[in-house]
Amino acid sequence: MSDRSGTIRVGLVGARGYTGAELVRLIDGHPGLELSYACSRAHAGDPVIDHIDHAPADLRFLEAEASTVGAQQADVCVLALPNDASARYVAAIDEACPDTVIVDLSADHRFDEDWAYGLCEQNADAIGASRRIANPGCYATAMQFATLPVLDLLGDVPPVFAGISGVSGAGSTPSPKNDPEVLHDNVLPYAPVGHVHEREVSHQLGRAVRFMPHVAPFFRGLSVSAALTLREPAMLSDIVERYTTWCADHPLVRTLETHTPTPRDGADTNGALIGGLAIGDDGRALGVTCAIDNLLKGAASQAIQNINLALGLDPLEGLMP
Ligand SMILES: NC(=O)c1ccc[n+]([C@@H]2O[C@H](COP(=O)([O-])OP(=O)(O)OC[C@H]3O[C@@H](n4cnc5c(N)ncnc54)[C@H](OP(=O)(O)O)[C@@H]3O)[C@@H](O)[C@H]2O)c1
């Protein structure tokens, strides 16, 4: 477990991917964490630093074997794997070192009641009491930030979200969603019904939502624009006050009030921006936009925040400029 200096040892499975590389950088900049192992099938045996900046100079990629991961006995293991790939690693850690904190970036445990749902701003107590944490989806994070400050004011009309993200949201494995030919001068709508983040947000908010994602030819960042319907007419100033008050309690989330954040505004930051607040003539139609970096607050920064909470550190350790 933690070494003699008290540094917390973090292992990373899926380290050569987009979110893995961000985690290597954030762990390097975190005063209490050290990267103790990193797994990659493609690069096993190579020095990690040959592929990812900010990696420890003496670390080589390990094979991504479940038994190898279990044998490392780290304090924390982050799984940055595609969906449906986590089970054998979780089983190996359960068997070899059950006290290890696992943070799973995939959707595999977001509907599992034995795991804490890792939306830090909403669920800090459960995360702090858990060793098994399901990191939220990137779009799901932004959708919930756009909605939570006014959730109790919504009527029966289902919230509708339109999302747009850069190509890194699709991961580094080639697909139409990150194909430069498809995306050249273009935007690609996909999964208009049943996206896993639609199910995730419906599950978390306890009410059905609709979500339509799009991918565009920039690398990182996303925004979600929400069409919400209030139960009773409200004044814009009261709604702005709601978001301002909510953000005051959550230092990584900032409101721009009526100014609309774009994906670029949220890119390369550890936090989230909520803005574009607007009320329709009927006083009930509410528009709001949230922008985050899909690889950071949508994945790696949120994972660090979860590690901090699970280990009793300052929740923002390693995340402020
Ligand atoms: N990209 C985003 O914006 C984002 C945001 C939030 C959450 N997430 C989630 O985070 C996870 C990682 O996303 P990513 O974008 O970093 O993906 P990625 O770039 O495609 O990387 C996937 C990583 O997993 C490894 N891998 C792939 N299949 C594996 C398997 N069957 N067994 C073991 N290792 C395997 C790959 O390395 P090797 O092939 O070398 O082993 C690679 O390091 C996904 O579940 C994704 O949905 C992504």
Side-chain angles (χ1 to χ4, degrees), residues 79-91:
L79 301 173
L81 304 168
N83 292 339
D84 302 322
S86 68
R88 62 198 181 112
Y89 300 105
V90 174

Side-chain angles (χ1 to χ4, degrees), residues 13-20 39-43 64 79-83 85 88-89 104-107 110 135-138 168-173 197 294-295 298-299:
V13 190
R16 71 134 184 94
Y18 286 147
T19 59
C39 296
S40 161
R41 298 166 309 170
H43 301 319
L79 301 173
L81 304 168
N83 292 339
R88 62 198 181 112
Y89 300 105
D104 183 1
L105 265 56
S106 81
R110 293 183 198 150
N135 224 53
C138 51
S168 63
S172 54
T173 303
H197 294 185
N294 52 298
L295 298 176

Side-chain angles (χ1 to χ4, degrees), residues 19-207:
T19 59
E22 293 295 337
L23 278 157
V24 170
R25 181 180 63 79
L26 288 169
I27 292 167
D28 181 52
H30 190 299
L33 307 182
E34 71 171 20
L35 185 65
S36 64
Y37 69 90
C39 296
S40 161
R41 298 166 309 170
H43 301 319
D46 290 1
V48 180
I49 193 77
D50 286 0
H51 299 276
I52 307 176
D53 293 343
H54 305 284
D58 55 351
L59 199 67
R60 288 179 182 269
F61 281 113
L62 298 179
E63 296 280 357
E65 294 303 325
S67 55
T68 308
V69 169
Q72 300 310 305
Q73 304 262 325
D75 301 294
V76 179
C77 175
V78 182
L79 301 173
L81 304 168
N83 292 339
D84 302 322
S86 68
R88 62 198 181 112
Y89 300 105
V90 174
I93 292 168
D94 280 346
E95 172 84 23
C97 41
D99 284 343
T100 294
V101 170
I102 305 178
V103 180
D104 183 1
L105 265 56
S106 81
D108 289 3
H109 297 96
R110 293 183 198 150
F111 301 89
D112 184 336
E113 290 187 356
D114 292 334
W115 288 55
Y117 181 67
L119 190 69
C120 303
E121 284 69 14
Q122 183 68 359
N123 218 13
D125 290 347
I127 296 163
S130 181
R131 317 306 280 171
R132 300 287 177 267
I133 299 160
N135 224 53
C138 51
Y139 274 128
T141 296
M143 285 192 264
Q144 289 175 87
F145 287 163
T147 312
L148 283 168
V150 292
L151 186 62
D152 61 317
L153 301 182
L154 299 186
D156 291 337
V157 180
V160 177
F161 301 92
I164 189 158
S165 89
V167 293
S168 63
S172 54
T173 303
S175 82
K177 285 185 275 171
N178 54 24
D179 181 339
E181 293 251 316
V182 173
L183 288 169
H184 179 69
D185 274 351
N186 208 359
V187 170
L188 180 70
Y190 66 100
V193 293
H195 190 286
V196 66
H197 294 185
E198 181 179 279
R199 289 192 282 120
E200 180 179 336
V201 175
S202 297
H203 181 70
Q204 289 301 324
L205 297 184
R207 54 175 304 149

